[in-house]
Amino acid sequence: MLDIEKLIKYEYIPSELPPSFNSDLLSEHIETIIEKVNYEKVKPSKPLIFNGFKTISSRRRFAVPNPYQYINAAKILVENQTELFEIFDKTSNSLTAPSNQSTSYGKAYDRKVTNFSEVKKEVKKLYKDNLFGLKLDIQFFFDSIYTHSISWAIHSKKLSKSNTRNLDLLGNKIDASIQLLNDLQTNGILVGNAVSRIVSEILLCSVDYEIKKRDIKIDYLRYVDDYFIFTKDRAQIESIISIFREELDKYELVLNENKIEIIESPFVYGKSWVEEIKIYSSVNIEKLLEKSIIEYHKYKDISIIKYVLKIIRTNTFTKDEWDSIEPIL
């Protein structure tokens, strides 16, 4: 269930910014703002853009949208959620589509999973007697979304293209509100907010539904734009990739060909370094840090360091312990 106050309070400011940046006061005055602003006369806006860390060699662009424009987009989603949930409910493959339940405290909206341990649990259920696993993701997903394709997903491409200026169509309303957030850009949507995540699910749940109709023998789940696919037949793998490629292409989305992974049973979720790091986490913090650095140099994966720092944050230290780990940190 979508609630406008929670969409503003919890996922308007990207979580990559420090906690001192928040939208608590904005959410408290949401009704007053809605009453006073004539959204038909609000002009397109340029979001505030900042670069956040993605990998050791790349950065990701996050955005803080104009609050008026963001509230407008959120309002459209909330007021039309019955129609949107018909799309989300057509498939059970998405772990990140909004759930039609009362929203839990502290969340912008409910979804099947909220963290990677829950993702792991759900993906493991797919192992069963499958012999091969396939991992796919979409290249530059949020940056590559074509805003007009939102309407295609809701109404069909044919209907949308013959009614491009008709703002009575929900898809066109959402399309226009997303463009207003981003200086009328039609290529790419802003990264780091709830509205963009919900809009992305409109597209990908529609893709999931089309894949379901293809009736291929697979078990799969999707976490945002990451696909976890399992099959019994290796001969199917190329045709599975082709089907996903074709269905994504209908919305001008492209598979990341460089990140296609094929694994054989028995399966292990995630990356091999995780289990090794877990063993060291029960030994001592200094050895854990040293192990994380060794694994980082081996895999060149910054998430190793992030993972270990999360473990360290839950600990308290004596002065002597701190003196030994501070130089490493």
Side-chain angles (χ1 to χ4, degrees):
M1 194 172 174
L2 303 179
D3 176 277
I4 192 160
E5 186 176 334
K6 290 182 177 178
L7 289 177
I8 307 303
K9 183 178 177 68
Y10 296 115
E11 290 186 35
Y12 164 59
I13 302 287
S15 61
E16 288 73 17
L17 284 173
S20 54
F21 292 88
N22 66 69
S23 50
D24 293 353
L25 283 174
L26 183 63
S27 67
E28 287 174 19
H29 296 283
I30 188 69
E31 296 302 329
T32 304
I33 295 169
I34 289 172
E35 286 174 10
K36 289 188 175 182
V37 177
N38 183 344
Y39 283 101
E40 292 179 3
K41 295 183 178 179
V42 175
K43 296 178 181 178
S45 58
K46 291 184 179 181
L48 295 173
I49 301 293
F50 68 95
N51 288 316
F53 193 88
K54 184 179 178 184
T55 69
I56 190 65
S57 59
S58 66
R59 310 279 288 179
R60 172 173 281 164
R61 283 162 52 89
F62 296 96
V64 181
N66 178 298
Y68 288 163
Q69 301 292 14
Y70 185 80
I71 291 167
N72 177 50
K75 187 168 173 280
I76 291 170
L77 297 179
V78 170
E79 289 175 347
N80 295 278
Q81 61 183 295
T82 300
E83 190 171 344
L84 296 181
F85 276 109
E86 289 176 5
I87 297 169
F88 302 144
D89 293 341
K90 280 183 177 179
T91 172
S92 58
N93 300 99
S94 176
L95 294 173
T96 41
S99 165
N100 199 4
Q101 305 293 321
S102 296
T103 305
S104 305
Y105 177 77
K107 296 180 182 178
Y109 58 91
D110 272 339
R111 55 216 105 175
K112 283 184 183 176
V113 302
T114 55
N115 57 57
F116 281 106
S117 63
E118 292 175 355
V119 176
K120 180 177 180 179
K121 183 178 178 181
E122 293 300 320
V123 171
K124 279 184 171 182
K125 292 177 184 176
L126 301 184
Y127 292 173
K128 297 185 280 188
D129 57 345
N130 286 307
L131 298 177
F132 299 94
L134 183 60
K135 191 165 183 290
L136 309 175
D137 76 353
I138 299 170
Q139 189 167 28
F140 307 122
F141 177 46
F142 286 94
D143 292 329
S144 66
I145 289 176
Y146 182 48
T147 64
H148 294 337
S149 68
I150 300 164
S151 188
W152 304 348
I154 297 174
H155 308 292
S156 83
K157 199 170 191 176
K158 183 178 180 181
L159 179 62
S160 297
K161 280 183 170 288
S162 60
N163 291 273
T164 53
R165 298 186 181 278
N166 182 2
L167 286 179
D168 288 332
L169 277 186
L170 173 58
N172 289 349
K173 279 185 188 176
I174 297 173
D175 177 9
S177 72
I178 294 299
Q179 288 185 51
L180 287 172
L181 285 171
N182 196 20
D183 202 25
L184 294 183
Q185 293 294 316
T186 56
N187 290 319
I189 66 175
L190 304 183
V191 177
N193 65 78
V195 164
S196 291
R197 293 185 186 104
I198 293 168
V199 166
S200 75
E201 288 294 332
I202 295 172
L203 287 174
L204 293 190
C205 283
S206 299
V207 172
D208 290 337
Y209 179 62
E210 293 304 315
I211 289 169
K212 179 182 176 182
K213 292 198 296 185
R214 300 288 289 262
D215 195 31
I216 46 177
K217 306 290 186 203
I218 59 173
D219 298 299
Y220 88 89
L221 288 171
R222 175 177 55 77
Y223 180 81
V224 190
D225 66 318
D226 289 325
Y227 292 90
F228 302 90
I229 306 163
F230 296 88
T231 179
K232 297 178 180 65
D233 185 2
R234 185 177 189 104
Q236 266 207 126
I237 290 176
E238 285 305 317
S239 65
I240 291 168
I241 295 172
S242 293
I243 287 169
F244 276 80
R245 193 182 283 125
E246 288 167 16
E247 295 301 335
L248 288 166
D249 183 61
K250 291 176 183 178
Y251 296 96
E252 303 197 2
L253 297 169
V254 178
L255 279 182
N256 189 335
E257 303 289 341
N258 294 325
K259 290 179 72 175
I260 293 174
E261 291 181 39
I262 301 170
I263 52 175
E264 293 187 21
S265 172
F267 306 112
V268 60
Y269 178 87
K271 300 176 181 178
S272 57
W273 55 259
V274 174
E275 296 307 319
E276 290 192 46
I277 293 291
K278 278 184 178 177
I279 293 169
Y280 276 79
S281 66
S282 60
V283 180
N284 100 9
I285 296 297
E286 187 174 356
K287 291 190 182 299
L288 172 64
L289 276 169
E290 290 171 351
K291 176 64 175 174
S292 71
I293 293 166
I294 292 168
E295 295 299 309
Y296 168 74
H297 285 301
K298 180 178 177 183
Y299 293 102
K300 301 299 181 188
D301 187 346
I302 197 65
S303 55
I304 297 171
I305 304 295
K306 289 183 176 181
Y307 180 76
V308 169
L309 290 177
K310 281 185 178 179
I311 293 174
I312 290 172
R313 286 179 66 180
T314 65
N315 284 265
T316 54
F317 305 101
T318 65
K319 185 180 183 307
D320 286 344
E321 287 172 333
W322 182 253
D323 287 344
S324 69
I325 67 170
E326 185 181 22
I328 308 173
L329 289 170

PDB file of all heavy atoms in Angstrom, residues 188-209:
ATOM      1  N   GLY A 188      16.486   8.117 -19.013  1.00  0.00           N
ATOM      2  CA  GLY A 188      16.989   7.965 -17.653  1.00  0.00           C
ATOM      3  C   GLY A 188      16.044   8.560 -16.629  1.00  0.00           C
ATOM      4  O   GLY A 188      15.353   9.551 -16.890  1.00  0.00           O
ATOM      5  N   ILE A 189      15.992   7.911 -15.445  1.00  0.00           N
ATOM      6  CA  ILE A 189      15.235   8.455 -14.322  1.00  0.00           C
ATOM      7  C   ILE A 189      16.175   8.613 -13.131  1.00  0.00           C
ATOM      8  O   ILE A 189      17.244   7.995 -13.086  1.00  0.00           O
ATOM      9  CB  ILE A 189      14.015   7.569 -13.959  1.00  0.00           C
ATOM     10  CG1 ILE A 189      14.446   6.200 -13.436  1.00  0.00           C
ATOM     11  CG2 ILE A 189      13.089   7.414 -15.151  1.00  0.00           C
ATOM     12  CD1 ILE A 189      13.276   5.347 -12.944  1.00  0.00           C
ATOM     13  N   LEU A 190      15.778   9.443 -12.184  1.00  0.00           N
ATOM     14  CA  LEU A 190      16.661   9.769 -11.071  1.00  0.00           C
ATOM     15  C   LEU A 190      16.907   8.545 -10.180  1.00  0.00           C
ATOM     16  O   LEU A 190      16.021   7.724  -9.975  1.00  0.00           O
ATOM     17  CB  LEU A 190      16.058  10.904 -10.240  1.00  0.00           C
ATOM     18  CG  LEU A 190      15.739  12.190 -10.998  1.00  0.00           C
ATOM     19  CD1 LEU A 190      15.228  13.251 -10.026  1.00  0.00           C
ATOM     20  CD2 LEU A 190      16.960  12.706 -11.755  1.00  0.00           C
ATOM     21  N   VAL A 191      18.108   8.480  -9.624  1.00  0.00           N
ATOM     22  CA  VAL A 191      18.504   7.353  -8.770  1.00  0.00           C
ATOM     23  C   VAL A 191      18.463   7.768  -7.309  1.00  0.00           C
ATOM     24  O   VAL A 191      18.928   8.852  -6.944  1.00  0.00           O
ATOM     25  CB  VAL A 191      19.935   6.881  -9.129  1.00  0.00           C
ATOM     26  CG1 VAL A 191      20.385   5.763  -8.189  1.00  0.00           C
ATOM     27  CG2 VAL A 191      19.994   6.413 -10.577  1.00  0.00           C
ATOM     28  N   GLY A 192      17.864   6.908  -6.464  1.00  0.00           N
ATOM     29  CA  GLY A 192      17.952   7.121  -5.023  1.00  0.00           C
ATOM     30  C   GLY A 192      16.663   7.475  -4.316  1.00  0.00           C
ATOM     31  O   GLY A 192      16.695   7.834  -3.148  1.00  0.00           O
ATOM     32  N   ASN A 193      15.508   7.366  -4.993  1.00  0.00           N
ATOM     33  CA  ASN A 193      14.245   7.726  -4.337  1.00  0.00           C
ATOM     34  C   ASN A 193      13.162   6.675  -4.586  1.00  0.00           C
ATOM     35  O   ASN A 193      13.245   5.880  -5.525  1.00  0.00           O
ATOM     36  CB  ASN A 193      13.780   9.107  -4.791  1.00  0.00           C
ATOM     37  CG  ASN A 193      13.421   9.138  -6.264  1.00  0.00           C
ATOM     38  OD1 ASN A 193      12.353   8.689  -6.662  1.00  0.00           O
ATOM     39  ND2 ASN A 193      14.319   9.657  -7.103  1.00  0.00           N
ATOM     40  N   ALA A 194      12.119   6.712  -3.756  1.00  0.00           N
ATOM     41  CA  ALA A 194      11.052   5.715  -3.810  1.00  0.00           C
ATOM     42  C   ALA A 194      10.246   5.781  -5.098  1.00  0.00           C
ATOM     43  O   ALA A 194       9.860   4.752  -5.656  1.00  0.00           O
ATOM     44  CB  ALA A 194      10.134   5.873  -2.601  1.00  0.00           C
ATOM     45  N   VAL A 195       9.967   6.988  -5.572  1.00  0.00           N
ATOM     46  CA  VAL A 195       9.175   7.133  -6.798  1.00  0.00           C
ATOM     47  C   VAL A 195       9.859   6.432  -7.970  1.00  0.00           C
ATOM     48  O   VAL A 195       9.229   5.678  -8.730  1.00  0.00           O
ATOM     49  CB  VAL A 195       8.927   8.626  -7.116  1.00  0.00           C
ATOM     50  CG1 VAL A 195       8.458   8.813  -8.557  1.00  0.00           C
ATOM     51  CG2 VAL A 195       7.887   9.202  -6.160  1.00  0.00           C
ATOM     52  N   SER A 196      11.159   6.642  -8.129  1.00  0.00           N
ATOM     53  CA  SER A 196      11.893   5.990  -9.218  1.00  0.00           C
ATOM     54  C   SER A 196      11.863   4.471  -9.072  1.00  0.00           C
ATOM     55  O   SER A 196      11.727   3.746 -10.064  1.00  0.00           O
ATOM     56  CB  SER A 196      13.345   6.478  -9.245  1.00  0.00           C
ATOM     57  OG  SER A 196      13.420   7.827  -9.645  1.00  0.00           O
ATOM     58  N   ARG A 197      11.988   3.986  -7.839  1.00  0.00           N
ATOM     59  CA  ARG A 197      11.971   2.534  -7.626  1.00  0.00           C
ATOM     60  C   ARG A 197      10.615   1.936  -7.993  1.00  0.00           C
ATOM     61  O   ARG A 197      10.529   0.853  -8.569  1.00  0.00           O
ATOM     62  CB  ARG A 197      12.321   2.216  -6.169  1.00  0.00           C
ATOM     63  CG  ARG A 197      13.761   2.569  -5.818  1.00  0.00           C
ATOM     64  CD  ARG A 197      14.138   2.131  -4.407  1.00  0.00           C
ATOM     65  NE  ARG A 197      15.466   2.612  -4.078  1.00  0.00           N
ATOM     66  CZ  ARG A 197      15.734   3.637  -3.289  1.00  0.00           C
ATOM     67  NH1 ARG A 197      14.735   4.299  -2.709  1.00  0.00           N
ATOM     68  NH2 ARG A 197      16.967   4.024  -3.053  1.00  0.00           N
ATOM     69  N   ILE A 198       9.535   2.634  -7.635  1.00  0.00           N
ATOM     70  CA  ILE A 198       8.190   2.147  -7.951  1.00  0.00           C
ATOM     71  C   ILE A 198       7.966   2.155  -9.460  1.00  0.00           C
ATOM     72  O   ILE A 198       7.442   1.198 -10.037  1.00  0.00           O
ATOM     73  CB  ILE A 198       7.125   2.990  -7.220  1.00  0.00           C
ATOM     74  CG1 ILE A 198       7.219   2.757  -5.710  1.00  0.00           C
ATOM     75  CG2 ILE A 198       5.719   2.631  -7.715  1.00  0.00           C
ATOM     76  CD1 ILE A 198       6.430   3.748  -4.873  1.00  0.00           C
ATOM     77  N   VAL A 199       8.393   3.233 -10.110  1.00  0.00           N
ATOM     78  CA  VAL A 199       8.258   3.330 -11.563  1.00  0.00           C
ATOM     79  C   VAL A 199       9.047   2.213 -12.251  1.00  0.00           C
ATOM     80  O   VAL A 199       8.579   1.610 -13.220  1.00  0.00           O
ATOM     81  CB  VAL A 199       8.726   4.720 -12.055  1.00  0.00           C
ATOM     82  CG1 VAL A 199       8.932   4.731 -13.570  1.00  0.00           C
ATOM     83  CG2 VAL A 199       7.704   5.783 -11.655  1.00  0.00           C
ATOM     84  N   SER A 200      10.234   1.912 -11.755  1.00  0.00           N
ATOM     85  CA  SER A 200      11.033   0.833 -12.347  1.00  0.00           C
ATOM     86  C   SER A 200      10.322  -0.508 -12.229  1.00  0.00           C
ATOM     87  O   SER A 200      10.430  -1.363 -13.112  1.00  0.00           O
ATOM     88  CB  SER A 200      12.415   0.765 -11.688  1.00  0.00           C
ATOM     89  OG  SER A 200      12.362   0.187 -10.395  1.00  0.00           O
ATOM     90  N   GLU A 201       9.562  -0.688 -11.131  1.00  0.00           N
ATOM     91  CA  GLU A 201       8.820  -1.940 -10.957  1.00  0.00           C
ATOM     92  C   GLU A 201       7.631  -2.039 -11.917  1.00  0.00           C
ATOM     93  O   GLU A 201       7.234  -3.137 -12.294  1.00  0.00           O
ATOM     94  CB  GLU A 201       8.347  -2.081  -9.514  1.00  0.00           C
ATOM     95  CG  GLU A 201       9.462  -2.386  -8.524  1.00  0.00           C
ATOM     96  CD  GLU A 201      10.096  -3.759  -8.736  1.00  0.00           C
ATOM     97  OE1 GLU A 201       9.401  -4.677  -9.244  1.00  0.00           O
ATOM     98  OE2 GLU A 201      11.285  -3.919  -8.394  1.00  0.00           O
ATOM     99  N   ILE A 202       7.055  -0.896 -12.305  1.00  0.00           N
ATOM    100  CA  ILE A 202       5.998  -0.930 -13.320  1.00  0.00           C
ATOM    101  C   ILE A 202       6.545  -1.572 -14.595  1.00  0.00           C
ATOM    102  O   ILE A 202       5.917  -2.440 -15.204  1.00  0.00           O
ATOM    103  CB  ILE A 202       5.481   0.500 -13.625  1.00  0.00           C
ATOM    104  CG1 ILE A 202       4.796   1.103 -12.397  1.00  0.00           C
ATOM    105  CG2 ILE A 202       4.522   0.480 -14.818  1.00  0.00           C
ATOM    106  CD1 ILE A 202       4.435   2.580 -12.541  1.00  0.00           C
ATOM    107  N   LEU A 203       7.740  -1.165 -14.998  1.00  0.00           N
ATOM    108  CA  LEU A 203       8.372  -1.709 -16.199  1.00  0.00           C
ATOM    109  C   LEU A 203       8.736  -3.182 -16.041  1.00  0.00           C
ATOM    110  O   LEU A 203       8.365  -4.025 -16.865  1.00  0.00           O
ATOM    111  CB  LEU A 203       9.639  -0.915 -16.529  1.00  0.00           C
ATOM    112  CG  LEU A 203       9.457   0.493 -17.089  1.00  0.00           C
ATOM    113  CD1 LEU A 203      10.807   1.176 -17.215  1.00  0.00           C
ATOM    114  CD2 LEU A 203       8.759   0.453 -18.427  1.00  0.00           C
ATOM    115  N   LEU A 204       9.466  -3.491 -14.960  1.00  0.00           N
ATOM    116  CA  LEU A 204      10.014  -4.840 -14.850  1.00  0.00           C
ATOM    117  C   LEU A 204       8.977  -5.877 -14.451  1.00  0.00           C
ATOM    118  O   LEU A 204       9.117  -7.051 -14.801  1.00  0.00           O
ATOM    119  CB  LEU A 204      11.211  -4.846 -13.895  1.00  0.00           C
ATOM    120  CG  LEU A 204      12.435  -4.078 -14.418  1.00  0.00           C
ATOM    121  CD1 LEU A 204      13.643  -4.329 -13.529  1.00  0.00           C
ATOM    122  CD2 LEU A 204      12.760  -4.445 -15.858  1.00  0.00           C
ATOM    123  N   CYS A 205       7.935  -5.486 -13.730  1.00  0.00           N
ATOM    124  CA  CYS A 205       6.840  -6.438 -13.471  1.00  0.00           C
ATOM    125  C   CYS A 205       6.103  -6.758 -14.769  1.00  0.00           C
ATOM    126  O   CYS A 205       5.623  -7.878 -14.963  1.00  0.00           O
ATOM    127  CB  CYS A 205       5.864  -5.890 -12.427  1.00  0.00           C
ATOM    128  SG  CYS A 205       6.479  -6.005 -10.732  1.00  0.00           S
ATOM    129  N   SER A 206       6.028  -5.767 -15.673  1.00  0.00           N
ATOM    130  CA  SER A 206       5.422  -6.009 -16.991  1.00  0.00           C
ATOM    131  C   SER A 206       6.286  -6.976 -17.795  1.00  0.00           C
ATOM    132  O   SER A 206       5.772  -7.867 -18.482  1.00  0.00           O
ATOM    133  CB  SER A 206       5.255  -4.686 -17.746  1.00  0.00           C
ATOM    134  OG  SER A 206       4.402  -3.812 -17.031  1.00  0.00           O
ATOM    135  N   VAL A 207       7.611  -6.816 -17.702  1.00  0.00           N
ATOM    136  CA  VAL A 207       8.526  -7.759 -18.359  1.00  0.00           C
ATOM    137  C   VAL A 207       8.364  -9.150 -17.751  1.00  0.00           C
ATOM    138  O   VAL A 207       8.290 -10.157 -18.468  1.00  0.00           O
ATOM    139  CB  VAL A 207       9.988  -7.278 -18.239  1.00  0.00           C
ATOM    140  CG1 VAL A 207      10.953  -8.350 -18.743  1.00  0.00           C
ATOM    141  CG2 VAL A 207      10.199  -5.980 -18.999  1.00  0.00           C
ATOM    142  N   ASP A 208       8.299  -9.223 -16.419  1.00  0.00           N
ATOM    143  CA  ASP A 208       8.118 -10.519 -15.739  1.00  0.00           C
ATOM    144  C   ASP A 208       6.860 -11.229 -16.242  1.00  0.00           C
ATOM    145  O   ASP A 208       6.851 -12.449 -16.445  1.00  0.00           O
ATOM    146  CB  ASP A 208       8.011 -10.316 -14.221  1.00  0.00           C
ATOM    147  CG  ASP A 208       9.316  -9.893 -13.579  1.00  0.00           C
ATOM    148  OD1 ASP A 208      10.381 -10.168 -14.166  1.00  0.00           O
ATOM    149  OD2 ASP A 208       9.273  -9.284 -12.499  1.00  0.00           O
ATOM    150  N   TYR A 209       5.791 -10.459 -16.406  1.00  0.00           N
ATOM    151  CA  TYR A 209       4.520 -11.039 -16.856  1.00  0.00           C
ATOM    152  C   TYR A 209       4.642 -11.596 -18.273  1.00  0.00           C
ATOM    153  O   TYR A 209       4.138 -12.687 -18.577  1.00  0.00           O
ATOM    154  CB  TYR A 209       3.420  -9.981 -16.792  1.00  0.00           C
ATOM    155  CG  TYR A 209       2.070 -10.473 -17.261  1.00  0.00           C
ATOM    156  CD1 TYR A 209       1.417 -11.516 -16.589  1.00  0.00           C
ATOM    157  CD2 TYR A 209       1.451  -9.901 -18.370  1.00  0.00           C
ATOM    158  CE1 TYR A 209       0.179 -11.967 -17.019  1.00  0.00           C
ATOM    159  CE2 TYR A 209       0.209 -10.351 -18.803  1.00  0.00           C
ATOM    160  CZ  TYR A 209      -0.421 -11.380 -18.124  1.00  0.00           C
ATOM    161  OH  TYR A 209      -1.644 -11.828 -18.547  1.00  0.00           O
TER     162      TYR A 209
END
